[in-house]
Amino acid sequence: MAEDGVETDPLMCLSPLDGRYKSRVGGLSDYFSEASLFKYRCKIEIEYFIALAAVLPQLEQFPKDRFNELRAIYQNFGLSDAKRVKKLESTTNHDVKALEYFIKEEYDKLGLPDPCKEFIHFGLTSQDVNNTAVPLSIKDSLENCIIPTIKSLCEELKARSHEWKDIPMLARTHGQAASPTRLGKEMMVFVERLEKELNILGKCSHEGKFGGATGGFNAHRVAYPKIDWESFGNKFVTDIGLSRQQFTTQIEHYDGMAGIFHCLSRINTIFVDLCRDIWGYISIGYFGQKVKKDEVGSSAMPHKVNPIDFENAEGNLGIANALFVFFAQKLPISRFQRDLTDSTVSRAIGTPMGHSLLAYKSLKKGLSKITVNRKIIENDLEENWAVVSEAVQTVLRREGFPKPYEALKELTRTGDKITQATMTEFIQQLNVSETTKAELAAITPHNYLGYSF
């Protein structure tokens, strides 16, 4: 497989996110590809250098009017720059050090003061860069991609809820016919759950570690003991959009990141629940699916129109959650002041994000294709008159009728089908007022409903 271009062909990709599904999730490459990691690291290094220029006497000579030229290094960072970093890494065998050398090369190209150059990466360990770059990439991906997509799905569900709010529907508890509900209300259940989790996600802390080799600014203090490096670090991390952890080892705690992953996994679990419910409603005919003439549902059965969007979403949500839960359990654990296990794991954060985004898009596509089969829903209600037994026994309780629950149990659990005629006959022989009988007779599976919204 050494042909030119073969290694970049989507058909040769190891992950389906980079192959089959790239067109649907490719935007996440701006946050989680290796080239993007280099770009985020580059931003941290350069913004740190600029921050140092405000406090170090050796950087007073640096021309402040050229800060924007420095910022352009990361703002215009592209694939050719990433390849240069990789080439340097082939010598250093250390990607953060390779990035430092890359920045110094670009610094020289700009003809900036040579004595200032060695303050690039001054006093830092790699994790000061990684543990700010990665949290920032997660924050940006959530704000720009993941959360807007979830919110869009919520709005779609809310719109369907309002469209269907007056459609009565047989409920099912334990798979059995239960007191009727409204189709729109059932969709609002998911909207409420999702909105609560989105609110929690929005309040999750995006944290960064910034404090030198073992978290105490040792190198900074020994070089410049009169500078308040803790205040400097707090301001720097806040300025880039994160919250600085105050007491750390060489790496960040990852507790805040674990909270984000747990919240995303709960959101995904809600979506799995939704996928399975809609799948079920399709299987019993409550929902139909719009058909595209040239699409194929089965290679053997020409009639099939499968709920593939919801199945695809459910599968991808499962993959994402397996990784989110693993990350949340693994990343906060590190031997003593640091081991390297977090490094290889954190490089895969884009994978569950990608499978989640793919699932959200599949789910939205599926929702756009479903139609309500009101006739089947109404027929199902008509075939299940036993569900009004709850209503009847409750009104009878109000009227002081003796053992109303037991009376309805005896009527409905004989194995015989309960019809409108069955209920009418039962009501007429009750020892209650004619007014109450009329009230009971007016209750049907179609109108025995709770509150709407």
Side-chain angles (χ1 to χ4, degrees), residues 118-132:
E118 287 308 314
F119 286 92
I120 296 169
H121 199 73
F122 174 78
L124 300 184
T125 186
S126 299
Q127 288 308 102
D128 293 318
V129 180
N130 290 328
N131 287 162
T132 44

Side-chain angles (χ1 to χ4, degrees), residues 75-337:
Q75 290 169 344
N76 299 326
F77 191 95
L79 185 58
S80 61
D81 299 311
K83 287 181 177 179
R84 176 58 185 157
V85 175
K86 289 300 290 183
K87 187 172 183 180
L88 290 166
E89 186 188 352
S90 67
T91 300
T92 64
N93 197 32
H94 195 292
D95 53 357
V96 175
K97 199 65 180 177
L99 180 71
E100 177 189 340
Y101 290 157
F102 164 80
I103 295 171
K104 287 178 175 178
E105 287 181 349
E106 297 301 306
Y107 183 100
D108 288 340
K109 291 177 184 178
L110 293 172
L112 295 168
D114 191 68
C116 301
K117 184 169 61 174
E118 287 308 314
F119 286 92
I120 296 169
H121 199 73
F122 174 78
L124 300 184
T125 186
S126 299
Q127 288 308 102
D128 293 318
V129 180
N130 290 328
N131 287 162
T132 44
V134 172
L136 194 56
S137 70
I138 292 173
K139 181 184 178 185
D140 288 348
S141 72
L142 289 174
E143 291 178 352
N144 299 329
C145 191
I146 299 296
I147 291 176
T149 304
I150 296 172
K151 285 184 175 179
S152 176
L153 255 176
C154 282
E155 290 305 311
E156 176 73 17
L157 282 172
K158 195 177 292 186
R160 292 303 183 99
S161 297
H162 284 276
E163 179 185 344
W164 302 334
K165 70 176 184 177
D166 295 322
I167 299 178
M169 179 184 82
L170 187 70
R172 283 177 167 77
T173 58
H174 310 280
Q176 309 300 308
S179 298
T181 183
R182 286 180 170 88
L183 180 55
K185 188 272 284 184
E186 295 307 312
M187 294 299 109
M188 280 302 294
V189 169
F190 294 102
V191 173
E192 180 178 70
R193 295 170 67 189
L194 289 166
E195 287 181 342
K196 285 183 177 180
E197 289 300 332
L198 276 172
N199 184 50
I200 294 170
L201 183 60
K203 294 178 180 178
C204 284
S205 179
H206 295 276
E207 302 173 0
K209 176 265 174 182
F210 200 81
T214 54
F217 285 110
N218 301 35
H220 294 77
R221 288 191 70 203
V222 75
Y224 297 96
K226 293 184 179 181
I227 294 176
D228 183 350
W229 288 108
E230 287 184 322
S231 295
F232 172 91
N234 289 339
K235 183 178 186 305
F236 171 70
V237 175
T238 299
D239 286 347
I240 63 172
L242 302 173
S243 172
R244 179 177 170 267
Q245 296 170 351
Q246 300 300 301
F247 300 95
T248 70
T249 60
Q250 187 178 94
I251 64 175
E252 73 144 301
H253 314 142
Y254 289 110
D255 299 326
M257 199 178 290
I260 292 169
F261 295 150
H262 274 140
C263 190
L264 286 169
S265 73
R266 291 196 301 274
I267 288 171
N268 287 352
T269 297
I270 294 168
F271 279 132
V272 169
D273 199 18
L274 174 64
C275 286
R276 291 181 180 178
D277 275 8
I278 292 179
W279 187 98
Y281 292 138
I282 291 171
S283 73
I284 61 176
Y286 282 16
F287 287 145
Q289 296 180 96
K290 297 174 184 176
V291 178
K292 287 190 176 181
K293 182 177 181 294
D294 295 324
E295 285 188 354
V296 174
S298 165
S299 63
M301 296 172 281
H303 69 285
K304 295 292 290 294
V305 182
N306 297 326
I308 57 172
D309 297 306
F310 302 103
E311 293 170 341
N312 178 284
E314 182 182 339
N316 279 290
L317 291 165
I319 294 172
N321 275 8
L323 288 171
F324 280 142
V325 171
F326 167 68
F327 290 163
Q329 291 175 340
K330 189 273 149 296
L331 285 172
I333 300 172
S334 186
R335 295 171 180 86
F336 298 124
Q337 280 67 54

Side-chain angles (χ1 to χ4, degrees), residues 267-413:
I267 288 171
N268 287 352
T269 297
I270 294 168
F271 279 132
V272 169
D273 199 18
L274 174 64
C275 286
R276 291 181 180 178
D277 275 8
I278 292 179
W279 187 98
Y281 292 138
I282 291 171
S283 73
I284 61 176
Y286 282 16
F287 287 145
Q289 296 180 96
K290 297 174 184 176
V291 178
K292 287 190 176 181
K293 182 177 181 294
D294 295 324
E295 285 188 354
V296 174
S298 165
S299 63
M301 296 172 281
H303 69 285
K304 295 292 290 294
V305 182
N306 297 326
I308 57 172
D309 297 306
F310 302 103
E311 293 170 341
N312 178 284
E314 182 182 339
N316 279 290
L317 291 165
I319 294 172
N321 275 8
L323 288 171
F324 280 142
V325 171
F326 167 68
F327 290 163
Q329 291 175 340
K330 189 273 149 296
L331 285 172
I333 300 172
S334 186
R335 295 171 180 86
F336 298 124
Q337 280 67 54
R338 197 265 164 105
D339 64 43
L340 202 65
T341 53
D342 67 309
S343 176
T344 190
V345 170
S346 64
R347 292 176 190 273
I349 289 172
T351 302
M353 293 290 195
H355 283 286
S356 296
L357 182 61
L358 179 59
Y360 305 154
K361 290 186 175 182
S362 293
L363 185 48
K364 189 167 186 180
K365 181 182 178 184
L367 286 172
S368 73
K369 291 161 58 176
I370 60 175
T371 58
V372 177
N373 193 329
R374 299 185 74 151
K375 184 176 181 180
I376 289 180
I377 293 174
E378 289 169 2
N379 287 345
D380 210 7
L381 286 166
E382 190 62 31
E383 289 296 310
N384 285 277
W385 270 81
V387 297
V388 303
S389 62
E390 180 195 42
V392 173
Q393 66 98 3
T394 303
V395 172
L396 291 178
R397 284 173 187 266
R398 183 196 71 194
E399 296 299 309
F401 188 88
K403 296 185 178 181
Y405 176 89
E406 288 73 16
L408 270 297
K409 178 182 175 183
E410 184 177 347
L411 172 70
T412 58
R413 296 182 66 172

Side-chain angles (χ1 to χ4, degrees), residues 17 21-33 36 141 144-145 357 361:
L17 294 177
Y21 303 124
K22 184 176 181 179
S23 64
R24 300 172 69 183
V25 299
L28 286 178
S29 293
D30 292 341
Y31 310 100
F32 299 115
S33 65
S36 295
S141 72
N144 299 329
C145 191
L357 182 61
K361 290 186 175 182

